[in-house]
Amino acid sequence: MARTYFIAIEARMQIGVAQDIVDALTEIDRIVQVRFENGYANAQDAALARTDLESARDSLLSAQLGERDAIRALEVLLGQYPDTNLEFPNRLMREPPPPPAGLPSQLLERRPDIIAAERRIAAAIAGVDQAQAARLPQISLTGSLGGASNELSDLLDPVNVVWRLAANLLAPIFDGGRRRAQVDVSTAAQEEAVANYADLALNAFAEVEGLLDQGKILRERRRALLTSDEASDRALYIAQLRFDEGENELIDVLNIQQRVFGTRSSLVAIQRSVLTHYVDLSLALGGDWRSPEEG
């Protein structure tokens, strides 16, 4: 639901970018046609301006169709008739901050698959129905800058597989809160339950590490695109001034203009990807990592 919601908002924002392109190219086409009629531009420039304008109009229509498709998909998820009348914001919300350093691995014990696997261990070992029969290795998941911690990387190193072995993943049992014992895994059912828990735990840790790395790359890409957007805006301003003075060819202005709007479109897509990543990471961790005070 959240992913589709973000896609719908991004589609609406992409329409805005496409409309800006059409508006800009409409003005360029007008100027070029006036110059052509007065002998200050050639037929090639007039044809090039009109070609780019019509191509931009096609892209706008495509973006509008993409928005309608996204709205229909969201309406279906909401159990509504897909008539594209759903109201939703015109802009994506601010991206949440990256996860802080030191998130404990015990957050993963909230995951439904880990809970179910732990309960299977409890069911396979008599007398622990109300106790937590298995726990994950206690490590910090995150390091600085929201990336994976060294402890998590070391845990997933192929060389470090001792904790994955069912014989070594002895289930800690709580006896009325008074003592903690180790249960010998002896029966086939117990071995299967513990091995399943180990496999699911490995997958959960690997999923979190992959998403933490992905989040770090997304933030770096966004910073690069913001720098590119600022530089291309400046380049377009200079190119347009030089074109007005007759020092630049029209193709130079159009090329830079395409870069400007291409960067803006990529920024919208990255913003949506960052929000979708937040949802994916929350699912991998079994829930939000932020405290209630953080909102």
Side-chain angles (χ1 to χ4, degrees):
M1 177 73 75
R3 293 188 190 104
T4 307
Y5 177 69
F6 296 148
I7 289 172
I9 299 176
E10 181 202 352
R12 178 163 292 180
M13 293 176 69
Q14 294 290 6
I15 288 177
V17 174
Q19 185 63 62
D20 287 344
I21 296 174
V22 169
D23 293 343
L25 291 176
T26 297
E27 178 62 15
I28 287 181
D29 180 66
R30 184 191 68 80
I31 293 172
V32 172
Q33 295 302 324
V34 170
R35 289 188 173 189
F36 175 67
E37 292 169 2
N38 290 277
Y40 295 107
N42 56 43
Q44 177 180 310
D45 282 350
L48 184 63
R50 183 57 54 86
T51 297
D52 274 19
L53 174 58
E54 295 305 322
S55 178
R57 286 172 175 163
D58 175 68
S59 296
L60 175 59
L61 290 171
S62 179
Q64 290 169 340
L65 178 60
E67 182 199 34
R68 288 197 291 273
D69 288 344
I71 294 173
R72 288 191 182 97
L74 186 57
E75 287 171 330
V76 169
L77 287 174
L78 291 170
Q80 300 181 11
Y81 182 77
D83 55 7
T84 69
N85 288 325
L86 184 67
E87 294 185 3
F88 58 94
N90 294 322
R91 313 238 4 129
L92 289 165
M93 59 285 299
R94 287 179 55 190
E95 311 91 276
L103 287 182
S105 57
Q106 276 59 50
L107 290 176
L108 273 64
E109 292 178 350
R110 306 174 299 176
R111 288 173 54 123
D113 56 345
I114 297 296
I115 293 173
E118 182 273 329
R119 286 292 83 195
R120 284 192 288 270
I121 292 178
I125 302 171
V128 295
D129 290 341
Q130 304 303 318
Q132 186 170 5
R135 288 182 178 274
L136 297 177
Q138 297 185 17
I139 63 167
S140 293
L141 298 172
T142 50
S144 60
L145 304 177
S149 69
N150 291 333
E151 288 180 275
L152 179 56
S153 299
D154 290 343
L155 186 69
L156 295 172
D157 191 317
V159 177
N160 185 17
V161 296
V162 174
W163 74 274
R164 295 172 54 189
L165 302 179
N168 293 289
L169 189 66
L170 300 180
I173 306 302
F174 290 89
D175 181 11
R178 295 187 299 275
R179 67 182 177 85
R180 179 171 175 169
Q182 296 293 336
V183 173
D184 291 328
V185 177
S186 56
T187 71
Q190 291 170 354
E191 290 177 357
E192 181 182 1
V194 173
N196 179 65
Y197 185 91
D199 287 341
L200 287 174
L202 174 65
N203 290 334
F205 281 120
E207 184 179 358
V208 169
E209 184 189 42
L211 286 167
L212 289 173
D213 184 58
Q214 184 185 79
K216 187 176 179 180
I217 296 300
L218 282 173
R219 290 188 291 274
E220 291 174 357
R221 287 183 60 195
R222 188 174 185 275
R223 283 193 291 270
L225 283 171
L226 286 170
T227 301
S228 175
D229 184 51
E230 182 179 349
S232 59
D233 273 344
R234 178 63 179 167
L236 179 60
Y237 174 75
I238 295 172
Q240 288 175 327
L241 286 179
R242 297 186 65 184
F243 176 71
D244 293 340
E245 296 292 329
E247 299 177 7
N248 254 11
E249 298 293 334
L250 175 63
I251 189 66
D252 297 324
V253 176
L254 293 175
N255 284 338
I256 296 175
Q257 194 169 62
Q258 291 300 319
R259 291 185 183 184
V260 169
F261 289 115
T263 299
R264 290 179 187 173
S265 177
S266 295
L267 275 170
V268 172
I270 282 290
Q271 187 177 1
R272 192 264 302 167
S273 295
V274 169
L275 291 172
T276 299
H277 172 266
Y278 171 81
V279 173
D280 292 341
L281 183 57
S282 295
L283 289 172
L285 291 172
D288 197 350
W289 63 81
R290 297 178 298 171
S291 65
E293 291 76 17
E294 293 178 292

